[in-house]
Amino acid sequence: MDILLVAGLWLDESVWDGVVPAIEARGHRAVPVALPGQGDGSTTATLDDQVAAVLAAVDAATGKPVVVGHSAACTLAWLAADARPEKVAEVVLVGGFPTVDGGSYADFFDLADGVMPFPGWGPFEGPDSADLDEEARRTFAARAVPVPAEVARGVVRLHDERRFEVPVVLVCPEFTPAQARSWIDGGDLPELARVRHLELVDIDSGHWPMVTQPVALAGLLSSVADSVDPGR
């Protein structure tokens, strides 16, 4: 099965380099998705451009793919389910949650010269980055790609309620499944509250398990693909 890998903010597709071979050793095809504005040098890419790139990968997949979104890109994975509910086998959300219709994609930090630079480690101190050593932090910061403003401030538009029929696995890295369940039940995650088939799973990592726990994450994603209902 094709497993499409969509990275979050400031990351290009190479962040999945440790995950890809471990997925393929399990017999699946790993496809890191290149997002416009995150590695191609463009500072004018839009959220629509990134959605189009994910949908192109869905359309090019053999059969129905599993679409994996990390952090902010959980919304990109969810937008793929909204646009292609009949073609996405399952959505996996790693360390993030889908934005609601009408919300901004990732307007989290200040812009400078038309982009949202990596803000440094201050906002991520604590469980997010506890498993990143100093060398890993320096490497991450040096490779971080500023996110175009039109991506960060793009408005999310959802159209098809059949997205709630697409099974979802929420991978919980720096938070626990119990915490995630309390947020869902408390009304903080309205999109996930309406998903018909939602599974919450734990992974012992910070916010970037593809960096710190790539083999464990690959095993989890491969297990999701192994368990997909082919008749859905």
Side-chain angles (χ1 to χ4, degrees):
M1 173 169 285
D2 285 2
I3 301 176
L4 311 185
L5 305 169
V6 189
L9 301 176
W10 310 297
L11 303 171
D12 64 23
E13 64 270 27
S14 68
V15 75
W16 301 103
D17 284 355
V19 176
V20 169
I23 286 177
E24 296 190 338
R26 291 278 297 266
H28 298 290
R29 178 172 177 253
V31 184
V33 177
L35 294 175
Q38 289 181 215
D40 61 358
S42 172
T43 60
T44 59
T46 68
L47 179 60
D48 285 345
D49 293 333
Q50 293 201 347
V51 173
V54 177
L55 293 182
V58 171
D59 292 339
T62 300
K64 296 182 178 181
V66 172
V67 182
V68 181
H70 167 254
S71 192
C74 290
T75 295
L76 288 176
W78 194 232
L79 284 163
D82 179 71
R84 303 286 191 275
E86 75 289 348
K87 296 193 69 173
V88 173
E90 196 144 347
V91 168
V92 181
L93 309 175
V94 181
F97 317 104
T99 298
V100 297
D101 181 62
S104 64
Y105 174 65
D107 189 11
F108 302 139
F109 303 102
D110 292 339
L111 301 179
D113 299 322
V115 296
M116 187 173 69
F118 178 63
W121 291 107
F124 303 107
E125 289 300 335
D128 281 355
S129 61
D131 59 346
L132 290 168
D133 61 23
E134 286 305 315
E135 181 179 357
R137 290 183 183 214
R138 285 194 297 270
T139 299
F140 185 107
R143 296 176 62 184
V145 179
V147 178
E150 293 302 313
V151 173
R153 294 187 172 178
V155 177
V156 173
R157 294 299 181 194
L158 297 164
H159 304 282
D160 195 333
E161 294 207 347
R162 289 181 297 164
R163 66 186 180 276
F164 298 118
E165 300 295 329
V166 179
V168 175
V169 174
L170 175 61
V171 178
C172 305
E174 74 273 18
F175 52 88
T176 66
Q179 287 174 310
R181 175 53 64 186
S182 72
W183 299 332
I184 294 168
D185 293 345
D188 296 321
L189 304 173
E191 286 293 306
L192 292 186
R194 297 183 63 190
V195 170
R196 290 284 301 278
H197 307 283
L198 175 65
E199 180 182 1
L200 279 61
V201 298
D202 196 21
I203 187 168
D204 185 16
S205 79
H207 189 63
W208 293 273
M210 70 281 283
V211 175
T212 60
Q213 296 287 343
V215 175
L217 180 60
L220 192 157
L221 299 178
S222 298
S223 294
V224 171
D226 290 341
S227 65
V228 164
D229 178 4
R232 191 191 71 79

